[in-house]
Amino acid sequence: MTTNELWQAVLGELELSLNKANFTTWFKNTFISAWEGDHVVVSAPNAFTKAWLEKKFNGMILKSLQAFTQNRIRAITYKVEAKPQHAGVLMQDIPVTAMPAANGGTSTQTMTKEAVATFAKKETLADSRLNPKYTFDTFIVGKQNEFAHAAAKAVAQSVGRKYNPLFIYGGVGLGKTHLLQAIGHDIIAAKETAKVLYVTSEKFMSDFIQAVKTGHGKEFKDQYRNVDLLLVDDIQLLSGRESTQEEFFHTFNALHENNKQVVLTSDRPPKLIPALEHRLISRFEWGMTVDISSPDLETRIAILKTKCEELHFALDPDIVRYIASVVQSNVRELEGALNKLIAYHQLKNTPATLENTKVLLSGMNSAPQNKSLTAKHVMATVCQYFDLSNDDMVGKCREKRLAFPRQIIMYLMRSEMSASFPSIGNEIGGRDHTTAMHAYEKISNELDNNPKLRQDIDLIKQRLYNT
Ligand code: ADP
Ligand code: MG
């Protein structure tokens, strides 16, 4: 077997277990550049891809290499190297042999069955109110959403049994609705008769009010309680809506008792939703709570590249990098900027250049004021304020004298830098993400009725931004 044949076999296998967007992002233009005895060198087109292969996919790649070489390969190193032109077929040409019913050899009988299944799926999809675009396939995974993505996948694979409810929260345009609906699509794809219902909390509310007005309470209950999966978007909008909250409480209980899955999204964690009944908060916290934060530069680049591919629009890497560096706030704006660019050039029939892109996007330079804050800087400022050392903060000691400043660091990394909880935990001596989450919630809650704490935080912030 040549190195090329071996790598094509590995890619063929990986393609089946990864979603398309991820597979394309991370494995395009990779190849085996050396194979000696039990050691293989895998080359990637850039340092970012190399780091991801090393960190995220090494286990999968090794396992697959071993499967195709009778366990001969024991170690992989990764390096950055451009793929030589003759290095083999393009990724699109790889035959996906194990894909069921993808070849032309299917019998008429199975075709008919498939047609029926497809039809049923279409019906289910229409009933579910899902947007066909929002699938796992089109969702790019980066550091800031990987935990939420993994939880969503886990729920899709064991509906009602693993994390129930799953609660996803994060700022606008970061992919909450996309991820929520992806779960629905996966479940319908696995079982075409699955009853999936997607609603915004506003739709739930207006359906409920309508049902009460017209005396159709039973129909309302039938609709919402007879599903396998209920997806409710933007649950924070139930804030202050007492009777709808009461109804939602009963809907939730009915589904939960029957092991039916509930997934919710919100712009903040359950505890921080104002005017939400305590019993709902506690139920929302029964299962798993995960957050999504703003994508970093490399993830923004990966998202843009994939969107360009989906739209069949070729864009120079420098331009892609430029857009990703000026549009920092969220994915929706990133998409907006790209769409604007594409529309402009299609209309004018001119090629995109770095210069005309700069002009076109000149209004979009929405870098937040705190973009230059780093975890190191936050840590150093808080340490200085409390006269403690870095080692005190990353160490194990849980004395209040140390635990409290530590929580403030975690709080500020979240509130000022929008860092993800897993990454905050990492910075603070490799602590668990739940510790970071707890610290953030504790300090946020305490801020309301502790003027001394508010003052501390204000003073620290002044130092943060003035140095
Ligand atoms: P939210 O509900 O958090 O406000 P959406 O789910 O509506 O955000 O996402 C906004 C847009 O950005 C959508 O078009 C969505 O497809 C896209 N998007 C967000 N995150 C990602 C991602 N990780 N990969 C691909 N597209 C994304
Ligand atoms: Mg949304």
Side-chain angles (χ1 to χ4, degrees):
M1 185 171 10
T2 65
T3 53
N4 187 34
E5 285 165 356
L6 173 60
W7 191 237
Q8 294 311 327
V10 169
L11 288 181
E13 191 178 66
L14 292 175
E15 187 174 23
L16 294 178
S17 42
L18 292 170
N19 76 39
K20 184 167 173 292
N22 259 335
F23 179 71
T24 317
T25 310
W26 305 120
F27 289 95
K28 195 172 182 166
N29 293 328
T30 56
F31 62 104
I32 294 181
S33 50
W35 175 10
E36 259 183 50
D38 63 356
H39 177 217
V40 155
V41 180
V42 171
S43 292
N46 54 56
F48 182 51
T49 307
K50 169 184 169 269
W52 266 78
L53 295 181
E54 240 163 7
K55 267 200 277 184
K56 301 284 165 185
F57 296 111
N58 184 54
M60 266 172 105
I61 298 173
L62 186 61
K63 219 164 128 197
S64 182
L65 281 168
Q66 290 176 336
F68 289 112
T69 58
Q70 287 87 40
N71 279 333
R72 269 166 53 206
I73 291 170
R74 296 274 154 215
I76 313 173
T77 44
Y78 296 88
K79 73 174 196 187
V80 178
E81 191 182 346
K83 189 173 176 176
Q85 280 314 308
H86 61 270
V89 286
L90 289 172
M91 207 162 55
Q92 297 88 292
D93 299 335
I94 301 166
V96 187
T97 39
M99 200 79 105
N103 53 26
T106 13
S107 71
T108 329
Q109 203 187 355
T110 52
M111 282 302 284
T112 319
K113 254 198 218 151
E114 262 168 30
V116 172
T118 311
F119 181 70
K121 247 176 214 161
K122 278 202 178 129
E123 292 273 280
T124 322
L125 212 52
D127 287 345
S128 69
R129 305 184 190 142
L130 295 176
N131 179 335
K133 271 187 359 195
Y134 293 162
T135 62
F136 281 118
D137 274 352
T138 56
F139 191 82
I140 310 286
V141 183
K143 262 207 302 270
Q144 301 75 10
N145 61 22
E146 65 175 337
F147 190 52
H149 172 261
K153 271 278 189 191
V155 162
Q157 271 153 23
S158 58
V159 188
R161 282 175 290 133
K162 194 132 188 177
Y163 310 124
N164 203 9
L166 173 64
F167 191 100
I168 304 171
Y169 73 92
V172 290
L174 297 181
K176 299 184 298 296
T177 300
H178 189 142
L179 209 48
L180 182 70
Q181 297 206 6
I183 299 174
H185 281 297
D186 245 29
I187 286 167
I188 293 174
K191 184 176 161 215
E192 65 265 16
T193 52
K195 286 200 186 121
V196 172
L197 182 58
Y198 165 84
V199 282
T200 61
S201 65
E202 285 161 310
K203 169 84 177 133
F204 180 88
M205 183 153 53
S206 71
D207 280 1
F208 171 61
I209 293 168
Q210 195 61 21
V212 173
K213 264 195 202 149
T214 56
H216 286 89
K218 184 178 176 307
E219 285 79 357
F220 176 85
K221 286 193 173 69
D222 283 349
Q223 186 194 5
Y224 279 94
R225 298 185 192 183
N226 260 329
V227 296
D228 299 305
L229 171 67
L230 179 63
L231 306 167
V232 186
D233 212 353
D234 292 319
I235 197 83
Q236 79 276 3
L237 299 175
L238 288 191
S239 165
R241 309 286 183 162
E242 279 161 31
S243 55
T244 310
Q245 283 185 26
E246 159 107 30
E247 184 59 32
F248 189 72
F249 176 76
H250 295 301
T251 305
F252 181 95
N253 287 345
L255 290 170
H256 200 275
E257 273 161 24
N258 289 312
N259 292 326
K260 304 300 185 189
Q261 180 75 45
V262 179
V263 187
L264 308 161
T265 73
S266 159
D267 64 353
R268 66 198 81 186
K271 268 210 191 70
L272 301 183
I273 301 176
L276 184 67
E277 278 187 40
H278 190 74
R279 55 182 183 168
L280 275 180
I281 297 180
S282 87
R283 268 163 184 74
F284 292 171
E285 289 175 339
W286 270 355
M288 166 82 113
T289 304
V290 292
D291 80 304
I292 303 185
S293 50
S294 305
D296 60 15
L297 178 65
E298 299 304 341
T299 312
R300 296 200 296 276
I301 292 176
I303 290 175
L304 280 176
K305 278 188 182 161
T306 312
K307 305 260 170 199
C308 283
E309 267 167 33
E310 279 168 14
L311 298 167
H312 304 290
F313 188 75
L315 209 51
D316 197 74
D318 286 346
I319 303 181
V320 169
R321 182 164 271 277
Y322 175 77
I323 304 173
S325 62
V326 291
V327 186
Q328 304 185 343
S329 46
N330 66 52
V331 185
R332 188 175 296 139
E333 294 212 342
L334 205 57
E335 279 186 348
L338 182 65
N339 289 337
K340 185 172 166 187
L341 192 84
I342 294 177
Y344 178 84
H345 293 295
Q346 280 175 348
L347 205 67
K348 296 264 174 191
N349 208 8
T350 52
T353 64
L354 195 54
E355 277 59 45
N356 62 29
T357 303
K358 281 184 182 167
V359 175
L360 201 63
L361 302 185
S362 57
M364 298 207 67
N365 203 334
S366 59
Q369 55 159 49
N370 46 12
K371 69 165 180 157
S372 57
L373 278 192
T374 62
K376 257 205 189 100
H377 184 46
V378 172
M379 175 101 93
T381 311
V382 175
C383 283
Q384 198 190 28
Y385 185 83
F386 288 103
D387 196 19
L388 297 165
S389 75
N390 249 25
D391 288 352
D392 287 331
M393 293 298 96
V394 299
K396 295 261 176 293
C397 174
R398 296 215 222 148
E399 268 178 53
K400 183 151 196 275
R401 166 182 85 83
L402 303 179
F404 184 61
R406 213 177 263 142
Q407 287 174 335
I408 291 190
I409 295 179
M410 294 190 259
Y411 168 81
L412 287 169
M413 284 181 176
R414 179 72 188 178
S415 68
E416 302 308 297
M417 298 167 48
S418 304
S420 74
F421 288 126
S423 75
I424 296 174
N426 241 349
E427 292 287 344
I428 314 292
R431 288 179 155 76
D432 193 47
H433 71 275
T434 51
T435 308
M437 214 140 96
H438 173 74
Y440 175 73
E441 284 173 17
K442 179 166 173 278
I443 301 285
S444 308
N445 286 336
E446 233 181 287
L447 271 177
D448 284 334
N449 33 29
N450 182 344
K452 166 81 176 72
L453 175 66
R454 264 205 306 275
Q455 195 187 21
D456 283 341
I457 300 261
D458 282 343
L459 289 171
I460 295 171
K461 275 196 203 165
Q462 275 177 24
R463 292 189 186 188
L464 266 182
Y465 291 112
N466 289 330
T467 45

